[in-house]
Amino acid sequence: MACSNLTMLVSSKPSLSDTSPLSFSSCLNPFQLSNHSSTVSTPSRSSSVTPVHCNLRELRDRISSVTNTQKITEAMKLVAAAKVRRAQEAVVNARPFSETLVEVLYSINEQLQTEDVDAPLTNVRPVKKVALVVVTGDRGLCGGFNNQIIKKAEQRIKELKSLNLEYTVISVGKKGNSYFLRRPYIPVDKFLEGGNLPTAKEAQAIADDVFSLFVSEEVDKVELLYTKFVSLVKSSPVIHTLLPLSPKGEICDINGTCVDAADDEFFRLTTKEGKLTVERDVVRTETIDFSPVLQFEQDPVQILDALLPLYLNSQILRSLQESLASELAARMTAMSSATDNAKELKKNYTQVYNRKRQAKITGEILEIVAGADALI
Amino acid sequence: MTLNLCVLTPNRTVWNSKVNEIILSTNSGQIGVLPNHASVATAVDIGILKIRLDGQWLTMALMGGFARIGNNEITVLVNDAEKGSDIDSQEAQQTLEIAEANFRKAEGKRQKIEANLALRRARTRVETINAIS
């Protein structure tokens, strides 16, 4: 009777069926499995209970590896969160400049309304060749961030091809660089690296490149592809026309609708009930005051000529900052879900591990009892 | 009456305090600004900004931009600005030499534009240090 019971029990848990009598030595100490597992070299019997196929020691290794991964992803998440703050500081530091710039541009524009202005950066020429500035991140592990922007670029390239327009790419960021390097059929004008925190220097490098391309009439239009930071969980790849600038200093999106410069938005990271949230302010820059009788030291054209590159520069800088903020936010989200997954996985593994350990002990006790029964 | 000078770059505010007098390099030559100057808008070339503060002259390298003067307020918007005292002279000299070499090598309209800009920036930085000593 006891024997039949035993076989039934054993067969219902097939992973235990090849437990050899050797394992008696370790039956009461499941944490010393060295002898046992070395003899049971065929680790996985298809178990109907769980999809995990391995023996106890492998399970333990896996649990510890998942724990380590969880620690890493959690740390990365925290680092990204700290960096988002710094990115935000950079945006705040850039505020006085961009505000004054918009203010000046606006007031000068008012005075120039009556005059016929023709600055090189505002030249609208028939478009034959387009330069695409693609802003990607420097590092991976940030979800779909880099992929999204590259896909957007690919899509834009296809559109340009179907319109029979030539194009060239200016790639900013390591991820974009390696993508375009692997695809030699895409003409790339320049590879630039993003750097940790975008500064005026990086923006200047891009602006110089774009400027000379446009002024030397190699390209007739410059488009900027970057990721707009919407919130910590949302960011969207967008295309902006950088050049030609409209004389009013407006930046147009791809459909020609103007994004008003004075309607400047800026994001602010705050903590709400212990969680990070994003506030987005629409700041309507004050464009009044300042003496109405302003003399121009030079030709209005020259002044506009000096102002528009500045504007171009600050626009590029802002898009770099937004892109970085989006990247960090994307990394934060990706890492936080990775941490959640790791937790879940660890929980499952631990459950399986405990179940197996229990089953093994039960099996061994039954074997001892059966052995004792047989002796009588 | 004192003059308030504000030098802004996209990164930060480089200078925001009272000064006695400044000399600014504009596209049409240098202009000196004393208190109660007429309202003027001017383009700023790549060049040196000289600031007189309590009888002492300070210099600053400006990388091109725009200035607005009025109501004893001077607002200078530039791409980049460095105080003369912050520039490493050796490094600036090296950059100038590289820029000069690049300029000689430059071919084609586009490269010339780029090299010329780089050269002028580098030269201004060196001149900014030398103006002090």
Side-chain angles (χ1 to χ4, degrees), chain B residues 28-94:
Chain B
S28 46
Q30 293 192 324
I31 58 166
V33 182
L34 286 163
N36 295 326
H37 196 282
S39 300
V40 157
T42 175
V44 175
D45 207 8
I46 299 175
I48 306 174
L49 167 72
K50 287 186 188 148
I51 303 164
R52 188 161 67 86
L53 191 69
D54 304 327
Q56 266 195 321
W57 284 97
L58 296 168
T59 53
M60 202 183 274
L62 298 184
M63 298 307 172
F66 177 85
R68 195 177 61 169
I69 302 155
N71 293 339
N72 282 323
E73 282 274 342
I74 308 168
T75 315
V76 182
L77 298 173
V78 281
N79 272 329
D80 197 11
E82 266 182 293
K83 280 184 205 157
S85 48
D86 292 349
I87 302 174
D88 178 5
S89 64
Q90 239 178 353
E91 190 260 333
Q93 194 67 45
Q94 270 175 0

Side-chain angles (χ1 to χ4, degrees), chain A residues 93-94 97 100 103-104 108 189 199-200 204 208-209 212 218 290-291 293 295 297-298 302-303 306 310 313 317, chain B residues 8-13 26-28 31 38-43 64-66 68 70 75 77-79 110 114 121:
Chain A
N93 283 342
F97 182 84
T100 325
E103 187 185 322
V104 171
I108 283 176
D189 184 74
T199 59
Q204 183 78 58
D208 278 357
D209 203 50
S212 61
E218 267 183 48
F290 216 67
S291 99
V293 260
Q295 283 179 33
E297 185 70 20
Q298 293 96 5
Q302 273 199 36
I303 290 183
L310 277 185
N313 215 337
L317 183 64
Chain B
L8 299 169
T9 71
N11 275 350
R12 67 214 155 99
T13 308
T26 70
N27 279 3
S28 46
I31 58 166
S39 300
V40 157
T42 175
F66 177 85
R68 195 177 61 169
T75 315
L77 298 173
V78 281
N79 272 329
R110 189 182 151 201
E114 274 179 36
R121 283 197 192 112

Side-chain angles (χ1 to χ4, degrees), chain B residues 93-107:
Chain B
Q93 194 67 45
Q94 270 175 0
T95 321
L96 177 63
E97 275 158 25
I98 295 167
E100 271 169 353
N102 282 344
F103 184 67
R104 278 195 293 274
K105 273 189 281 179
E107 280 169 27

Side-chain angles (χ1 to χ4, degrees), chain A residues 266-372:
Chain A
F266 100 111
F267 63 91
R268 198 167 47 187
L269 197 68
T270 52
T271 41
K272 199 182 269 175
E273 289 154 15
K275 289 204 170 170
L276 295 169
T277 54
V278 173
E279 278 178 21
R280 243 186 129 84
D281 297 0
V282 178
V283 184
R284 189 90 208 175
T285 316
E286 297 273 321
T287 43
I288 29 154
D289 116 280
F290 216 67
S291 99
V293 260
L294 200 62
Q295 283 179 33
F296 293 119
E297 185 70 20
Q298 293 96 5
D299 266 353
V301 178
Q302 273 199 36
I303 290 183
L304 213 53
D305 231 13
L307 262 179
L308 291 181
L310 277 185
Y311 188 66
L312 178 69
N313 215 337
S314 83
Q315 281 297 326
I316 292 175
L317 183 64
R318 230 191 70 189
S319 59
L320 286 183
Q321 283 169 338
E322 291 234 356
S323 180
L324 180 80
S326 318
E327 183 193 339
L328 293 171
R331 179 165 299 127
M332 250 175 83
T333 329
M335 285 306 114
S336 115
S337 56
T339 312
D340 289 349
N341 284 346
K343 261 184 207 155
E344 176 86 27
L345 196 60
K346 196 173 136 195
K347 199 182 121 206
N348 285 347
Y349 273 144
T350 315
Q351 209 168 34
V352 173
Y353 174 78
N354 285 338
R355 207 170 274 165
K356 280 201 171 183
R357 191 173 62 98
Q358 194 61 53
K360 208 174 126 256
I361 294 167
T362 316
E364 280 160 1
I365 290 173
L366 282 176
E367 274 172 40
I368 295 169
V369 172

